[in-house]
């Protein structure tokens, strides 16, 4: 045998190759297959041993890796393969009930609430149906759907272990991308590894008898007392060789994003404030100068509480009523107001807060006259709730971060500089600002960041609170405000295309994230 310092695991792996070469002239074996051999026993052991044998001083084997992307059905995908896509379920319902059209409002009786909007959108997008006077009209109820064909093909390929994305044509790949956004398909990366003998390795197994002797990894008292240590081969250690992967307990990716943002803001001199998730319409809407008949306040966007369905509102409701009705703060007229009759009973209704701006407003309202003379920098990170249909980019519950600065002489340029610094510290090197509109700030802006491969993406909104918002609170200084959705930030950091992946708690993804 050549002058190699081979330990037993290396000898065992070469022994397997020696037998394969002698029997069938095989020089390449999969890691999975080698792991099943009783001499090895695990893929970790195979890889560790192959790394030793591929080192510069030996070069007896090469490690070959082939990476592939695999399309797999999610749990939702398996369901729609069985019962059809939401749009197909509508067509099937019409067939079963001998209908030519169906009112849109009846979709809720056929589909889950989360499926209604996607079904309606895809019926129009795929030109399956016409929408006339609130009715869905499908002329061909036996239509062919390429997305369904693709889902069925993926199911068959999965069963045959042949779901590599390379097995699909360009049109199917586009359909797979759309189905992934709809949550029916997940794309996973798989790595196939094999070990191959080099020319040197082939010569080695041809010309050497490989003997496997007893090997010990540590000396015991018995070895020393008996003198057996003199005859034992002590296995050498290499601290640089990779060991089996261990996944210790760690924080959830969403929690880590929250902690990172907190650390940045505290480092920039902000302090955190907290408030309850249940608020009155007074604090959630009225104080922000949102009219009581604004569409965002109805059941389409807001969760209203059945119990308790009313809460207490402060005395300052009179000032808010005046600003809404006449644009007046005391004797001072600052705008036209909304010119409608303000209803205090509406203000008392309870809701799940729709934004964290309510924390900023309640903080400003709590300041004494003396405190209002001092500068303030505060932020809030918390859950907010909106009555959204669940899809790849929307959830009814998500995390939002809100921040404000109250100080004499601060202006719009200060806000731009602050946001650029904030986003730079979060790891976004390229930031640009665009004008925007928000109901309770003027002027307003949106900040966009450049993400390699995805281009410019809008990340946060900001502006200067309108006088109608701050003056009823007794504040006559400018207040800079901004907000950012942390779920979108998390999606960018981990390269996700579906917001639901953040909350599925899929163990393999959590281990790698």
């Amino acid at each position: 045998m050549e002058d190699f310092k081979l330990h037993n695991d290396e000898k065992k792996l070469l022994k397997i190759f020696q037998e394969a070469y002698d029997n069938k002239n095989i020089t390449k074996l999969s890691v999975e297959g080698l792991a099943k051999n009783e001499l090895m026993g695990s893929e970790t052991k195979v890889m560790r041993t192959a790394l030793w044998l591929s080192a510069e001083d030996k070069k007896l084997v090469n490690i070959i890796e082939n990476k592939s992307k695999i399309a797999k059905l999610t749990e939702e995908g398996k369901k729609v393969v069985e019962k059809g896509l939401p749009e197909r379920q509508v067509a099937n319902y019409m067939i079963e009930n001998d209908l030519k059209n169906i009112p849109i409002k009846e979709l809720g009786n056929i589909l889950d609430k989360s499926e209604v909007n996607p079904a309606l959108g895809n019926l129009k997008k795929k030109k399956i149906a016409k929408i006339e006077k609130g009715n869905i009209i499908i002329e061909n109820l036996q239509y062919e759907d390429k997305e369904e064909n693709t889902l069925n093909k993926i199911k068959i390929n999965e069963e045959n272990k042949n779901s590599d994305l390379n097995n699909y044509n360009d049109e199917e790949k586009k359909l797979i991308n759309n189905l992934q956004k709809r949550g029916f398909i997940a794309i996973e990366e798989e790595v196939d590894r094999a070990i191959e003998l080099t020319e040197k390795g082939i010569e080695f197994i041809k010309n050497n008898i490989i003997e496997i002797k007893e090997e010990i990894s540590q000396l015991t008292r018995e070895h020393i007392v008996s003198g057996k240590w003199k005859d034992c081969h002590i296995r050498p250690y290499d601290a640089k060789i990779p060991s089996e992967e261990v996944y210790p307990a760690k924080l959830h990716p969403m929690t880590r994003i929250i902690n990172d943002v907190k650390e940045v803001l505290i480092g920039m001199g902000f302090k955190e404030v907290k408030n309850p998730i249940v608020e009155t319409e007074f604090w959630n809407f009225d104080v922000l100068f949102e009219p009581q008949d604004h569409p965002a306040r109805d059941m389409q966007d807001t969760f209203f509480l059945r119990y308790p369905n009313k809460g207490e509102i402060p005395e300052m409701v009179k000032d808010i009523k005046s600003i809404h009705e006449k644009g007046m703060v005391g004797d001072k007229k600052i705008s036209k107001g909304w010119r409608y009759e303000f209803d205090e009973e509406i203000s008392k209704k309870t809701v799940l807060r729709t934004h964290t701006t309510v924390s900023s407003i309640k903080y400003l309202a709590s300041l004494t006259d003396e405190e209002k003379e001092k500068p303030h920098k505060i932020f809030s990170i918390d859950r907010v709730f909106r009555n959204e249909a669940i899809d790849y980019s929307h959830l009814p519950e998500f995390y939002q971060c809100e921040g404000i600065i109250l100080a004499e002489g601060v202006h719009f340029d200060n806000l731009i500089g602050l946001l650029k610094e904030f986003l730079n510290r979060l790891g976004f090197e390229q930031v640009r600002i665009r004008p925007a509109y928000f109901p309770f700030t003027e002027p307003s802006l949106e900040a966009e960041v450049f993400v390699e491969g995805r281009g410019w993406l809008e990340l946060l909104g900001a502006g200067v609170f309108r006088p109608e918002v701050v003056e009823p609170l007794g504040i006559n200084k400018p207040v800079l405000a901004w907000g950012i959705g942390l779920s979108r930030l998390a999606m960018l950091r981990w390269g996700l295309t579906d917001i639901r992946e953040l909350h599925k708690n899929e163990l393999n993804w959590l281990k790698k994230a």
Side-chain angles (χ1 to χ4, degrees), residues 77-92:
K78 292 173 184 176
K79 290 177 185 176
V80 297
V81 166
E82 294 300 320
K83 62 182 183 180
L85 291 167
E87 49 269 31
R88 175 68 70 184
Q89 293 175 51
V90 175
N92 289 342

Side-chain angles (χ1 to χ4, degrees), residues 455-470:
W456 289 98
L457 300 174
E458 185 264 318
L459 202 55
L460 59 77
V464 181
F465 274 149
R466 292 172 61 156
E468 295 95 333
V469 175
V470 294

Side-chain angles (χ1 to χ4, degrees), residues 5-12 39 45 48-49 52 211-219 223 228-229 231-237:
K5 293 181 179 180
L6 297 177
H7 58 67
N8 270 3
D9 284 347
E10 291 175 304
K11 293 175 184 176
K12 289 175 182 178
L39 289 177
K45 190 173 182 180
R48 182 174 61 236
T49 306
W52 291 332
E211 296 181 336
I212 301 171
K213 297 180 180 179
E214 182 185 358
E215 185 178 65
I216 60 172
S217 59
Q218 67 179 45
L219 285 172
H223 288 132
K228 189 178 179 182
W229 66 271
D231 302 317
C232 289
H233 174 64
I234 301 173
R235 178 178 173 176
Y237 284 95

Side-chain angles (χ1 to χ4, degrees), residues 410-412 415 440-444 462-467 478-481:
V410 292
H411 48 74
F412 202 58
L415 178 62
F440 38 84
T441 58
E442 181 60 38
S444 305
V464 181
F465 274 149
R466 292 172 61 156
V479 178
L480 311 180

Side-chain angles (χ1 to χ4, degrees), residues 108-332:
N109 300 326
I110 305 169
L111 305 169
D112 292 338
K113 183 180 177 182
S114 62
E115 295 176 328
V116 171
N117 285 341
L120 193 57
N122 280 285
L123 282 168
K124 291 191 290 185
K125 178 182 174 183
K126 296 176 180 178
K127 298 180 179 179
I128 297 168
K130 294 186 291 185
I131 312 295
E132 292 181 3
K133 297 180 181 179
N135 289 319
I136 300 170
I137 302 168
I138 304 178
E139 294 179 354
N140 178 17
L141 293 170
Q142 303 290 350
Y143 67 89
E144 181 182 1
D145 192 318
K146 292 182 179 179
E147 285 190 347
E148 287 181 336
N149 295 341
T150 303
L151 284 169
N152 287 319
K153 182 174 179 179
I154 289 171
K155 180 187 177 184
I156 294 168
N157 285 348
E158 268 197 273
E159 292 169 352
N160 296 329
K161 297 183 178 181
N162 192 31
S163 275
D164 192 311
L165 275 184
N166 290 325
N167 294 328
Y168 300 91
N169 60 40
D170 290 342
E171 182 183 17
E172 288 172 332
K173 287 177 181 177
K174 289 179 182 178
L175 292 169
I176 287 171
N177 183 55
N178 191 52
L179 289 165
Q180 183 185 10
K181 290 178 180 178
R182 295 183 70 178
F184 300 141
I185 290 175
I187 305 299
E188 298 179 4
E189 187 175 83
E190 290 189 359
V191 181
D192 289 324
R193 295 184 176 90
I195 311 300
E196 184 177 40
L197 288 172
T198 62
E199 291 295 327
K200 188 176 179 182
I202 293 171
E203 289 302 312
F204 182 86
I205 63 171
K206 285 167 62 176
N207 299 324
N208 292 281
I209 298 172
I210 300 174
E211 296 181 336
I212 301 171
K213 297 180 180 179
E214 182 185 358
E215 185 178 65
I216 60 172
S217 59
Q218 67 179 45
L219 285 172
T220 65
R221 181 178 181 276
E222 181 187 346
H223 288 132
I224 296 170
V225 172
S226 65
K228 189 178 179 182
W229 66 271
K230 297 175 183 177
D231 302 317
C232 289
H233 174 64
I234 301 173
R235 178 178 173 176
Y237 284 95
D238 186 345
K240 297 178 182 178
I241 294 298
S243 60
E244 186 173 357
E245 286 187 275
V246 176
Y247 298 102
K250 59 183 178 181
L251 295 175
H252 189 279
M254 196 69 230
T255 304
R256 285 150 62 190
I257 283 283
I258 291 170
N259 290 345
D260 288 349
V261 173
K262 280 186 182 181
E263 186 176 344
V264 167
L265 290 171
I266 291 170
M268 293 174 70
F270 288 79
K271 71 175 183 179
E272 185 177 11
V273 297
K274 286 280 189 180
N275 272 288
I277 63 174
V278 175
E279 291 290 357
T280 58
E281 286 206 51
F282 175 80
W283 288 112
N284 198 77
F285 297 118
D286 293 340
V287 182
L288 292 169
F289 197 55
E290 267 193 49
Q292 293 183 326
D293 58 357
H294 194 283
R297 297 176 64 151
D298 64 22
M299 292 294 287
Q300 299 301 314
D301 293 289
T302 306
F303 288 108
F304 290 87
L305 270 68
R306 181 173 296 171
Y307 179 83
N309 61 1
K310 287 187 179 181
E312 294 183 0
I313 55 177
E315 284 294 319
M316 65 179 288
V317 68
K318 296 181 178 62
D319 297 319
I320 302 302
K321 175 182 172 73
S322 177
I323 198 72
H324 275 247
E325 291 182 345
K326 300 173 287 187
M328 300 283 290
V329 178
D331 297 329
K332 180 183 177 184

